[in-house]
Amino acid sequence: MQSFQLHEHATTVPINSYQLEDWQKGYESLREEFDYWIDQVEGEIPPDLEGTLFRNGPGLLDVGGEPLQHPFDGDGMICAIAFSQGKAHFRNRFIRTEGFLAEQKAQKILYRGVFGTQKSGGWLANAFDFRLKNIANTQVIYWGGKLLALWEAAEPHRLDPKTLETIGIDYLDGVLKPGSAFAAHPWIDPSCAEDGGAPCLVNFSIKPGLSTTITIFELDEQCKVVRQHARAVPGFAFIHDFAITPNYCIFFQNPVHFNPLPFVMGMKGAGECIQFKGDRPTQIIIIPRHGSAPVQTLSTQSGFVFHHANAFEQDGHLYVDSVCYDSLPSVEPDADYRQVKFEQLSPGQLWRFCLDLKTNTVERKLIESRCCEFPFVHPNRAGRPYRYVYLGAAHAAQGNAPLQAILKVDLVSGERQIWSAAPRGYVGEPIFVPRPTTTAEQLQSNGKASDEDSGWLLTMVYNSEQERSELVILDAKDLTKEPVARLHLKHHVPYGLHGSFASPYFDS
Ligand code: CO
């Protein structure tokens, strides 16, 4: 095992870079819905940054004052920041899910959350209540003319991209049925051979049980499902994300045990019944995207993975880059997530897995030991050999801590660049937006790797000093420079999950 060489740019903030009380303030509900032009801007919004950033995450951390047990149980709220001609417009809207509307009317918790939120009244009030509240809080994508808010255990909600109004559940022209799952981590294959080189969206659904059914969906540019196939794999699986290449879908089946009894009896959320089993290997499930070749399963050393950075095929091997945790602590029913002891948990670290499908063997090596999460790559490199990965990261090089920095890793040279919002700032996912190029420039560069970092990184930063959030725009070519622009919002936005950038400029 060898690790990449580290060349780190020094920063001036002390190692003890955060205060837990500061970090906790980012988990306050945002009740208001806003609509305004952002007029407090430091630096300059690039005039050629044209389009709309959509971002999803829990907007409420309580219902009528009753606190949620975990932020992942919070109602989905979309932020849209629309950019045109150097100006930016902000808008946020809650997704009007059935559960959101009912709970806001009642002003109390009516549904159990997957991550432990319970109705008041103790276990008796919760036992045998298996109704699922589709909270639509994990990702939002614009594809084939539809803006879809995603939550992995249920159907997508369709929204109006201009107003963010909720149109309703979208069944993808009847492909999904009421109660169907549709994961929150689609990939866009930039050039699908089956579609004559056109892009297609690849996503999956998980139907858990004693054996798990994984269904793969491929959608064309009109948002029509053009390919769909289901495969059964042995054992219970908790799979949040996957990776694609032109020929494969790759899933990491984390070593977990699921005991549903406390959930059934009303004592725990379903997610709290998942126990990490560090003594068992992780199974890597390889499903061919085309044709009916058998599923291949490879074993590797244990660990827990939420997110994959990318995957690609090269020299007869399959490579997967993923953020791995040594272990995953169980969510305790009476623990307060705001009191997390960061230093006692294992950090997420970026690993590269090299898969040999002929010998069924896996080799892995550590790419980045710094605590990191939310990997993002150039959209045109999805499933292809690539050079740069961007991540949310801890300010300090060692140990586990909240994400306060944006890290760029050059996978070829090993060089790192870091921009840090410490000590008072807390970052979210860095969303890479390619700089638009003219046709002549495209022909000249022919997709060379040197242009892969030509663009911007957009990330929402919670500023705990001002108790407000800002959208920070970084030049992806050089993170050590001052941000290109900081757009100060009039309020805070609770820590979010995932987002995406759409090239149309949406404003009503
Ligand atoms: Co995710």
Side-chain angles (χ1 to χ4, degrees):
M1 190 191 305
Q2 79 181 80
S3 61
F4 284 72
Q5 253 201 311
L6 277 164
H7 302 282
E8 229 168 72
H9 291 264
T11 54
T12 50
V13 183
I15 293 285
N16 276 335
S17 63
Y18 73 96
Q19 298 289 331
L20 192 66
E21 305 76 54
D22 276 353
W23 171 79
Q24 288 168 339
K25 290 190 289 185
Y27 277 129
E28 295 274 324
S29 295
L30 174 66
R31 291 176 215 287
E32 268 180 89
E33 295 183 317
F34 293 92
D35 236 311
Y36 59 90
W37 288 97
I38 303 171
D39 51 19
Q40 213 190 328
V41 177
E42 277 176 75
E44 209 176 317
I45 300 171
D48 45 350
L49 175 60
E50 187 87 17
T52 308
L53 174 73
F54 293 107
R55 175 196 175 275
N56 201 349
L60 291 182
L61 287 311
D62 71 280
V63 179
E66 283 185 74
L68 303 182
Q69 176 68 17
H70 197 282
F72 292 173
D73 285 340
D75 288 299
M77 182 192 77
I78 306 295
C79 293
I81 301 180
F83 298 92
S84 182
Q85 299 173 3
K87 292 173 129 190
H89 183 273
F90 178 88
R91 173 176 289 127
N92 71 304
R93 290 290 179 275
F94 282 93
I95 299 141
R96 266 59 177 178
T97 64
E98 195 186 330
F100 173 84
L101 291 170
E103 289 188 332
Q104 288 309 302
K105 197 171 167 199
Q107 280 298 297
K108 63 177 195 175
I109 294 169
L110 301 175
Y111 290 84
R112 307 174 70 189
V114 172
F115 291 90
T117 301
Q118 303 272 40
K119 297 178 285 181
S120 63
W123 68 272
L124 264 176
N126 290 280
F128 302 104
D129 181 354
F130 306 130
R131 293 172 308 142
L132 201 60
K133 180 184 173 194
N134 181 346
I135 50 177
N137 73 358
T138 312
Q139 172 63 299
V140 54
I141 49 152
Y142 181 71
W143 180 252
K146 288 181 181 179
L147 184 67
L148 299 174
L150 305 177
W151 184 64
E152 66 196 36
E155 316 90 334
H157 280 78
R158 185 174 177 187
L159 314 171
D160 181 322
K162 287 187 175 167
T163 62
L164 299 182
E165 265 170 62
T166 304
I167 297 168
I169 287 179
D170 195 281
Y171 293 101
L172 303 177
D173 302 310
V175 171
L176 302 180
K177 304 289 173 238
S180 291
F182 195 65
H185 272 286
W187 282 96
I188 294 174
D189 180 341
S191 169
C192 179
E194 297 264 311
D195 299 329
C200 77
L201 181 143
V202 189
N203 200 11
F204 68 98
S205 74
I206 293 286
K207 195 173 173 197
L210 292 177
S211 87
T212 299
T213 304
I214 303 177
T215 305
I216 292 164
F217 304 92
E218 304 210 2
L219 284 69
D220 70 6
E221 290 181 284
Q222 281 71 49
C223 210
K224 295 264 178 294
V225 176
V226 286
R227 289 174 289 280
Q228 180 187 352
H229 54 112
R231 304 292 187 107
V233 299
F236 173 83
F238 173 68
I239 299 174
H240 173 68
D241 189 11
F242 76 140
I244 64 163
T245 69
N247 293 299
Y248 301 101
C249 290
I250 303 141
F251 298 86
F252 278 40
Q253 188 177 14
N254 295 305
V256 293
H257 175 72
F258 180 64
N259 170 18
L261 201 62
F263 168 63
V264 172
M265 295 312 293
M267 289 178 281
K268 285 185 178 186
E272 293 172 305
C273 301
I274 292 173
Q275 222 186 351
F276 179 71
K277 292 284 177 192
D279 53 339
R280 293 195 212 148
T282 293
Q283 305 292 346
I284 303 179
I285 300 161
I286 319 286
I287 301 181
R289 280 177 59 188
H290 318 295
S292 54
V295 174
Q296 249 183 291
T297 304
L298 284 65
S299 284
T300 185
Q301 201 177 320
S302 181
F304 196 94
V305 173
F306 284 107
H307 295 125
H308 302 285
N310 203 4
F312 58 93
E313 299 166 30
Q314 200 170 49
D315 308 325
H317 290 83
L318 202 51
Y319 294 86
V320 191
D321 296 342
S322 313
V323 176
C324 303
Y325 296 80
D326 270 352
S327 66
L328 185 82
S330 299
V331 188
E332 295 302 330
D334 6 310
D336 179 352
Y337 66 88
R338 290 182 183 86
Q339 298 299 337
V340 58
K341 293 191 171 56
F342 280 98
E343 64 286 355
Q344 291 179 8
L345 304 176
S346 64
Q349 296 173 316
L350 186 67
W351 288 78
R352 171 161 288 182
F353 296 84
C354 174
L355 282 52
D356 187 328
L357 299 187
K358 289 194 191 76
T359 58
N360 247 14
T361 52
V362 183
E363 276 181 51
R364 63 169 199 164
K365 68 179 175 187
L366 185 62
I367 297 178
E368 177 56 62
S369 59
R370 183 188 295 263
C371 163
C372 57
E373 246 305 348
F374 293 131
F376 212 98
V377 303
H378 190 302
N380 286 352
R381 308 314 310 163
R384 292 359 187 223
Y386 72 116
R387 180 163 182 175
Y388 300 109
V389 56
Y390 311 97
L391 304 118
H395 175 78
Q398 265 121 38
N400 184 52
L403 305 180
Q404 292 188 286
I406 302 298
L407 176 69
K408 172 187 180 183
V409 180
D410 181 335
L411 298 164
V412 174
S413 74
E415 196 199 342
R416 267 83 167 143
Q417 292 175 354
I418 193 162
W419 174 81
S420 178
R424 306 297 301 271
Y426 297 87
V427 307
E429 178 185 59
I431 293 167
F432 178 83
V433 181
R435 188 186 296 273
T437 47
T438 61
T439 318
E441 283 171 335
Q442 272 170 2
L443 285 173
Q444 216 181 6
S445 73
N446 200 19
K448 273 189 303 213
S450 61
D451 296 312
E452 196 187 306
D453 58 352
S454 176
W456 304 280
L457 293 169
L458 274 48
T459 188
M460 196 74 93
V461 178
Y462 174 63
N463 181 331
S464 64
E465 190 176 7
Q466 299 177 353
E467 301 187 356
R468 289 191 301 168
S469 295
E470 45 200 73
L471 194 275
V472 172
I473 304 175
L474 300 168
D475 181 348
K477 272 218 185 285
D478 188 358
L479 266 52
T480 63
K481 288 194 302 194
E482 281 297 300
V484 176
R486 300 174 87 120
L487 286 60
H488 297 272
L489 305 184
K490 298 180 190 296
H491 46 82
H492 87 294
V493 175
Y495 298 124
L497 293 167
H498 300 289
S500 58
F501 191 83
S503 49
Y505 167 77
F506 288 113
D507 192 36
S508 57

